[in-house]
Amino acid sequence: MPLLALEAVHAGYGAIRAVRGISIEVDEGETVCLIGSNGAGKSTTLRAISGLVRVTDGGVLFRGRPITNEAPHRVAAAGIAHVPEGRGIFARLTVTENLEMGAYLRPRGPEIARDLERAFETFPRLRERAHQTGGTLSGGEQQMLAIGRALMARPVLLLLDEPSMGLSPILTQAIFERIREINREGTTILLVEQNATSALAISNRGYVVESGQIVLSGTGPELSANDSVRRAYLGEL
């Protein structure tokens, strides 16, 4: 049984159907990526999973249980954390306060402090900025903070939406190294990313999304070697 399964999901915004019959599976322990152009429906797919966009047809299963159109806080409580495109940090809260917000559904106790320390170990730059407000951080630091905050929820499944957006090549490499480490430590990841080269390099499997539909799937190496993918998404002629 897959950890996450989308079964012919349709979703969108009003009359706009951004996702049209998408079916994907993510097994426990995997990193799976969705690649495609702007407006293909990748972000809407993540939002449909986390309850931020209404599913109009089809279903979402998590650990074999339907979670279609459940409230976002219930999806989070089930073990799914979503790092949205644009990071969505609290600009006026400190780095530490932002991280602590990620654990708002958990009971208070010493485990929160241990997980806070783990977040600082994963992203040492955040420890240096612990008392700064989120709005004063650089783009790369804000992305680290957004991921660290999600990890404070101790998710089973981490949804990452465009983690490299707006970052320099060096910071992009650093973020993807951390994502690989997070997966190795046991967190399953579903990744939306326009930087297809980096995404496929760390993914077990991937799906290509075009016009709200899956048009191709395969392992990371298979998609990296596919001529159509190389021309369309890897910048090769």
Side-chain angles (χ1 to χ4, degrees):
M1 178 193 304
L3 179 66
L4 175 76
L6 273 62
E7 299 178 341
V9 165
H10 292 251
Y13 310 89
I16 300 173
R17 286 197 304 162
V19 171
R20 299 184 295 166
I22 279 184
S23 296
I24 66 172
E25 292 185 353
V26 180
D27 292 329
E28 191 161 1
E30 283 192 306
T31 294
V32 174
C33 66
L34 304 180
I35 62 173
S37 60
N38 272 333
K42 306 183 305 297
S43 294
T44 303
T45 299
L46 295 194
R47 292 170 65 85
I49 295 167
S50 59
L52 297 172
V53 170
R54 182 166 182 79
V55 173
T56 57
D57 199 5
V60 181
L61 301 175
F62 182 61
R63 289 177 157 172
R65 183 179 73 84
I67 60 167
T68 312
N69 292 326
E70 285 201 1
H73 71 278
R74 293 189 179 277
V75 175
I80 299 176
H82 185 172
V83 179
E85 180 182 352
R87 298 145 195 161
I89 64 166
F90 299 101
R92 295 186 179 182
L93 298 184
T94 68
V95 166
T96 299
E97 289 168 339
N98 266 276
L99 291 171
E100 290 172 341
M101 285 296 293
Y104 79 101
L105 288 176
R106 296 171 54 191
R108 301 295 91 183
E111 290 187 352
I112 302 295
R114 285 195 288 269
D115 288 345
L116 183 62
E117 178 61 25
R118 180 187 176 199
F120 286 141
E121 290 174 355
T122 302
F123 299 107
R125 186 74 62 86
L126 297 183
R127 190 191 301 277
E128 300 171 9
R129 307 285 190 266
H131 302 296
Q132 287 185 219
T133 56
T136 66
L137 302 181
S138 70
E141 290 165 347
Q142 288 186 9
Q143 189 63 66
M144 295 173 193
L145 180 56
I147 297 173
R149 183 182 60 188
L151 292 176
M152 288 293 292
R154 285 196 176 180
V156 176
L157 173 64
L158 181 62
L159 309 179
L160 294 175
D161 195 349
E162 301 287 3
S164 75
M165 179 177 286
L167 302 186
S168 68
I170 291 176
L171 281 176
T172 294
Q173 181 179 358
I175 288 293
F176 275 96
E177 287 174 356
R178 298 291 86 74
I179 293 171
R180 191 195 298 269
E181 289 176 7
I182 290 164
N183 176 249
R184 285 174 176 168
E185 291 172 358
T187 303
T188 304
I189 295 172
L190 178 58
L191 168 68
V192 160
E193 179 57 56
Q194 282 200 336
N195 187 333
T197 301
S198 295
L200 291 171
I202 68 167
S203 295
N204 301 97
R205 295 185 299 108
Y207 296 88
V208 179
V209 185
E210 292 182 4
S211 301
Q213 298 177 307
I214 302 296
V215 297
L216 191 64
S217 64
T219 66
E222 286 171 348
L223 292 179
S224 295
N226 182 280
D227 288 341
S228 297
V229 172
R230 293 166 72 91
R231 285 194 299 269
Y233 305 113
L234 304 184
E236 299 184 18
L237 298 178

